[in-house]
Amino acid sequence: MCELYSKRYTLALRKKHIGPSCKVFFASDPIKIVRARRQYMFDENGEQYLDCINNVAHVGHCHPEVVKAALKQMELLNTNSRFLHDNIVEYAKRLSATLPEKLSVCYFTNSGSEANDLALRLARQFRGHQDVITLDHAYHGHLSSLIEISPYKFQKGKDVKKEFVHVAPTPDTYRGKYREDHADPASAYADEVKKIIEDAHNSGRKIAAFIAESMQSCGGQIIPPAGYFQKVAKYVHGAGGVFIADEVQVGLGRVGKHFWSFQMDGEDFVPDIVTMGKPMGNGHPVACVVTTKEIAEAFSSSGMEYFNTYGGNPVSCAVGLAVLDIIENEDLQRNAMRVGNYLTELLKKQKAKHTLIGDIRGVGLFIGIDLVKDHLKRTPATAEAQHIIYKMKEKRVLLSADGPHRNVLKIKPPMCFTEEDAKFMVDQLDGVLTVLEEATGTKSESVTSENIPCKTKMLKEAHVELLRDSTTDSRENPSRKRNGMCADTHSLLSKRLKT
C-alpha cells in the first residue's frame, strides 16, 4: 500500500484544498480507496469491496492490457492531433465499424461533457437552428452549455429554464405520465415531443436538436419503450433538427445484445450524432463525437477550425484501442448479457419477497431497483434507499442511489462482473432489506399482488412516524444528496433502526 497520509489527514486536506461542492461517496463515513483490480476496490486497510457502480472501469480496474498499451505509447510519443499519427485514424476506423454506416466521422475529446458540448455545436451549425429538446431529469455534463439542458441539475426556485430549452417528459413506464398499462406508451411519449415542436414553431422558434441518453442513468435507470426513439427522430427530422444519442454512460456493449444502447430501437433507427466517453478509456480521459459526413461538412463550412489539444492524442487512442480489443477478446459483451440476465432474475425473486422493491428494470449490466414505500401509490422510498447503500457498504458492496427521488439503486459494474458477484450482491441486499423491513414494520406475507393492502394501518402509521424526520423532499435539488451523501438522513435512520 502506498499512502502519503492517514485517512483522517487526507480528509482534512480535502476539506481545506478541494472545493466544497466536490462531494465524496458516503459522506458521513467515506472510503479511502488505494488500489483496485477488475471488479474489486481496496481501502487502506486492505478491505475488499465489490464495485457495482463503476461504469468507468469498463473492462475492469487497472486491466493489465490497458496499462501496457498506455505505457508503451507514452514511452514513444504523446502529442496533439495536428501531427499525423496512425493511432487516431485506426481508432476512428475501429469505432466507426461498430456503428451504422452513415456514422463515420469522428471528433475526439477528453470527456463526455466536452463531447456533448461539441454535439450541440454541430447540431446548431447544421441548419442554423438554436433550440434543444431534452428529457426531464436528464444530465448531459458539467459545462455551462450542458447544465442549461440538464433538468437533473436545475435548482428548485433558482434556475430559470432558458427560452431555447424545451423539456419533454421522461419516457418512464413505471412512474411516468404514461405507464405500463398504456396501450402505446412509445407513441404517447413521442407525441409529447411532437407537441413541443409544434408549440416552438408557433412561437417562431426552430429546433436544432433532440438529445437523450439511450437509457437514462441519473434519471433513474430508465429504459424507454421500444419504438420511442424512432418516432421522436421522425418528428425532429421533420422540424429540421438532428437526433443526438448520448452513450457516455451506456455504450460499448453494456446492454449485452448490442454494442450501443440506441441499437435496441432497431436497425431502422440511426441517430445523427452519437456521443461517447467514460468507458472508452477504462479510467483514462478519452471521449468522442461520431456523426455523418453531411453534418461534419456543415460544421466545417462555418470557417471556424475545431482543435482540441489532448483530444485524440496517441496515448488516449492507444488506450481506447486496447479497450476495444479486450471487449472482443474477453467476450465481455456476451458476459454482460449472460450475467445481467442472471442478476435480473435474482432481483425479480427479491421483488416477490420484499415490499420495498417496487420495480426491477434494466438491460445487460445496467439495472435499477426502484424502492417504494407503497406499491399502489409507488411512493419513492428515499430515506430507505440512502440507508440501504450505507448498510451495503458495511457488507463491502458499493452501490449508489439516484433518480429524481433518489430512491433507485443503480447497478452498472465493470463488464467483468461474474454470476458469483451477482449472487453475493443479491444475498447481501436480501439481508439488508430483511432487517430494514422488520425494523420499520413493512414486512408482509405476500408481495405478489399490488392490488391488495400489504400493511395494516398500525404498521403504516409506525412506518410514517419512524421515517418522518428523515425523508427528504423528493423535488429537492438532487445535487445536495448524490449517491450516499445524505449523511444526516442516513445517520438519523440508522439511529432509529438501531441496526
Side-chain angles (χ1 to χ4, degrees):
M1 303 290 179
C2 181
E3 281 189 277
L4 290 176
Y5 311 111
S6 68
K7 176 179 175 179
R8 182 177 180 181
Y9 192 46
T10 298
L11 189 58
L13 285 174
R14 184 181 177 98
K15 289 180 178 178
K16 181 178 180 180
H17 295 297
I18 306 301
S21 57
C22 301
K23 305 299 183 180
V24 295
F25 285 128
F26 312 107
S28 68
D29 184 24
I31 307 171
K32 184 177 183 181
I33 295 297
V34 297
R35 66 184 180 92
R37 193 75 167 180
R38 292 179 61 80
Q39 64 270 49
Y40 304 107
M41 304 182 82
F42 301 85
D43 68 14
E44 77 281 11
N45 298 314
E47 291 286 347
Q48 175 180 290
Y49 293 83
L50 177 62
D51 184 359
C52 299
I53 55 177
N54 214 315
N55 63 328
V56 177
H58 192 62
V59 298
H61 290 279
C62 304
H63 195 290
E65 294 301 315
V66 173
V67 174
K68 185 191 302 182
L71 178 60
K72 182 179 178 180
Q73 183 57 53
M74 183 69 81
E75 288 179 331
L76 288 173
L77 168 74
N78 198 26
T79 185
N80 65 58
S81 55
R82 285 187 186 272
F83 293 98
L84 278 178
H85 196 276
D86 288 343
N87 282 6
I88 188 171
V89 293
E90 176 65 10
Y91 193 25
K93 184 181 74 171
R94 290 276 301 276
L95 280 176
S96 297
T98 68
L99 292 158
E101 186 176 359
K102 79 170 191 175
L103 293 167
S104 60
V105 183
C106 299
Y107 296 86
F108 289 102
T109 66
N110 305 293
S111 69
S113 290
E114 282 190 6
N116 281 330
D117 176 76
L118 178 57
L120 291 182
R121 288 178 60 191
L122 289 166
R124 285 169 168 156
Q125 176 63 29
F126 185 47
R127 289 200 172 95
H129 298 178
Q130 176 71 13
D131 289 24
V132 177
I133 302 174
T134 187
L135 294 178
D136 203 5
H137 310 306
Y139 174 67
H140 293 291
H142 62 81
L143 278 69
S144 296
S145 63
L146 302 173
I147 294 297
E148 291 176 344
I149 63 165
S150 296
Y152 178 81
K153 287 291 186 180
F154 290 176
Q155 299 181 77
K156 184 179 180 181
K158 293 184 178 180
D159 289 334
V160 177
K161 182 175 67 66
K162 300 294 191 296
E163 191 176 6
F164 61 81
V165 177
H166 310 276
V167 181
T170 302
D172 179 0
T173 57
Y174 179 68
R175 61 171 70 253
K177 186 174 183 179
Y178 308 106
R179 300 187 174 184
E180 70 276 5
D181 57 352
H182 191 280
D184 186 1
S187 294
Y189 278 115
D191 285 345
E192 294 282 343
V193 177
K194 180 182 179 183
K195 185 177 186 303
I196 285 173
I197 292 171
E198 291 171 348
D199 290 346
H201 284 179
N202 290 337
S203 299
R205 307 197 66 85
K206 296 180 179 181
I207 304 299
F210 172 92
I211 184 171
E213 287 183 278
S214 301
M215 300 187 295
Q216 251 187 311
S217 180
C218 292
Q221 307 294 87
I222 304 301
I223 317 298
Y228 169 70
F229 285 145
Q230 283 185 331
K231 298 174 189 299
V232 168
K234 178 182 177 182
Y235 297 141
V236 172
H237 289 154
V242 301
F243 192 109
I244 303 172
D246 181 341
E247 293 268 339
V248 171
Q249 298 213 52
V250 298
L252 278 82
R254 180 160 292 278
V255 296
K257 293 180 180 179
H258 306 281
F259 201 78
W260 303 103
S261 298
F262 73 78
Q263 292 171 321
M264 292 191 296
D265 232 44
E267 294 182 2
D268 293 338
F269 170 63
V270 180
D272 303 289
I273 301 173
V274 176
T275 60
M276 50 193 79
K278 293 184 187 297
M280 293 177 70
N282 208 56
H284 182 90
V286 56
C288 189
V289 178
V290 187
T291 189
T292 66
K293 185 177 180 180
E294 183 183 13
I295 292 175
E297 288 178 345
F299 187 56
S300 179
S301 70
S302 69
M304 182 183 294
E305 177 188 9
Y306 174 74
F307 174 62
N308 187 315
T309 301
Y310 296 108
N313 70 76
V315 172
S316 293
C317 291
V319 167
L321 285 165
V323 169
L324 293 180
D325 287 340
I326 294 164
I327 293 172
E328 181 179 348
N329 295 338
E330 298 184 9
D331 205 10
L332 293 182
Q333 188 175 332
R334 183 179 298 182
N335 186 68
M337 182 168 60
R338 179 176 57 83
V339 177
N341 288 343
Y342 175 72
L343 176 54
T344 298
E345 287 305 311
L346 290 179
L347 290 172
K348 285 180 178 178
K349 291 178 182 178
Q350 294 299 311
K351 179 178 182 293
K353 180 179 180 181
H354 295 289
T355 59
L356 277 170
I357 299 179
D359 189 39
I360 302 295
R361 53 181 176 263
V363 185
L365 287 175
F366 181 89
I367 300 169
I369 306 172
D370 198 311
L371 301 176
V372 299
K373 290 187 282 190
D374 184 294
H375 274 240
L376 285 176
K377 296 179 181 178
R378 302 183 179 183
T379 311
T382 300
E384 291 86 345
Q386 300 303 316
H387 174 79
I388 288 167
I389 62 175
Y390 271 90
K391 286 299 177 181
M392 289 294 282
K393 179 182 73 100
E394 293 176 11
K395 304 289 185 182
R396 302 298 185 261
V397 177
L398 302 181
L399 286 174
S400 65
D402 219 324
H405 307 289
R406 323 306 295 178
N407 69 305
V408 179
L409 301 182
K410 299 200 301 185
I411 304 171
K412 43 190 181 74
M415 296 276 280
C416 53
F417 209 68
T418 67
E419 290 186 350
E420 291 75 18
D421 296 326
K423 180 69 164 55
F424 177 76
M425 190 217 80
V426 173
D427 285 346
Q428 303 312 306
L429 181 62
D430 181 22
V432 170
L433 286 171
T434 298
V435 172
L436 177 58
E437 289 173 340
E438 288 175 350
T440 58
T442 57
K443 185 87 174 163
S444 70
E445 295 181 1
S446 174
V447 195
T448 56
S449 172
E450 297 186 0
N451 297 317
I452 59 174
C454 60
K455 309 182 189 74
T456 64
K457 180 179 179 182
M458 183 181 298
L459 287 177
K460 279 186 177 180
E461 292 174 349
H463 190 205
V464 168
E465 176 63 26
L466 179 65
L467 299 177
R468 178 178 293 149
D469 295 331
S470 60
T471 303
T472 55
D473 179 4
S474 64
R475 296 191 61 83
E476 184 182 352
N477 172 23
S479 64
R480 291 179 56 190
K481 44 188 172 64
R482 284 184 60 91
N483 300 332
M485 296 186 296
C486 290
D488 295 338
T489 297
H490 162 71
S491 177
L492 181 58
L493 187 56
S494 295
K495 288 177 182 177
R496 294 188 175 211
L497 291 173
K498 296 181 180 179
T499 58

